[in-house]
Amino acid sequence: VSQLVRRNFSSSSSLNGKIQEVVIIGGGLMGAGIAQVAAQTGHKVTLVDLNQQVLDKSNARITDSIKRVAKKQFKEDAAGAEKFIESSLSNMNVATSANDALTSADLVVEAVVENMGLKQKLFADFDKIAPAKTIFASNTSSLPIS
């Protein structure tokens, strides 16, 4: 039985630890949005894309969005807003390779193009690197994955 199948059917409580490290594969709009929310909620995040320019744009978009969220959530508390921004941004990392981040990932979310072959290849490759505790998730909107 492959490790991927064991992940799907595992009920061991030792594998149900707290999610602390999140790896998002795909730096487009959806991937960046998922990364932002994870960073804002205190998770260590690595956003991965093969294209550094995509990562740079995503990082800028995430920074701007976090600042907007802070402005709304901390209208009367400038210090709180600044702390929220600094904390959220300190949780964000970007990379053009997932390998280093996968070695300690608790959750991997793919947000790549809607290509089943690509998604399957990514999960098969990542399954060889990630620890057994890692949960794999897909952000697909139109492909059946069950």
Side-chain angles (χ1 to χ4, degrees), residues 49-68:
D49 198 285
L50 295 175
N51 186 323
Q52 184 63 49
Q53 289 176 320
V54 169
L55 290 172
D56 293 342
K57 284 183 180 181
S58 292
N59 223 5
R61 190 169 43 250
I62 290 167
T63 299
D64 290 344
S65 185
I66 287 173
K67 288 178 180 178
R68 283 193 304 275

Side-chain angles (χ1 to χ4, degrees), residues 12-142:
S12 170
S13 61
S14 67
L15 296 178
N16 295 330
K18 183 177 178 185
I19 294 175
Q20 296 176 335
E21 296 187 34
V22 180
V23 178
I24 311 298
I25 309 299
L29 289 173
M30 292 302 293
I34 295 165
Q36 176 187 333
V37 170
Q40 286 177 193
T41 54
H43 299 88
K44 180 182 171 195
V45 178
T46 302
L47 179 61
V48 180
D49 198 285
L50 295 175
N51 186 323
Q52 184 63 49
Q53 289 176 320
V54 169
L55 290 172
D56 293 342
K57 284 183 180 181
S58 292
N59 223 5
R61 190 169 43 250
I62 290 167
T63 299
D64 290 344
S65 185
I66 287 173
K67 288 178 180 178
R68 283 193 304 275
V69 169
K71 187 176 179 181
K72 288 180 183 179
Q73 285 188 348
F74 299 91
K75 291 178 185 174
E76 307 295 325
D77 182 8
E82 190 57 37
K83 183 178 176 185
F84 175 81
I85 293 166
E86 287 177 18
S87 172
S88 297
L89 293 178
S90 72
N91 288 329
M92 279 295 309
N93 296 295
V94 296
T96 55
S97 171
N99 291 1
D100 289 342
L102 286 171
T103 61
S104 58
D106 298 307
L107 173 64
V108 175
V109 180
E110 71 76 18
V112 299
V113 297
E114 296 293 274
N115 177 317
M116 184 60 83
L118 174 60
K119 292 174 187 290
Q120 289 172 330
K121 181 182 180 334
L122 287 174
F123 281 153
D125 291 347
F126 296 162
D127 185 49
K128 295 172 187 169
I129 301 168
K133 67 174 181 160
T134 305
I135 299 166
F136 288 96
S138 177
N139 185 52
T140 187
S141 60
S142 63

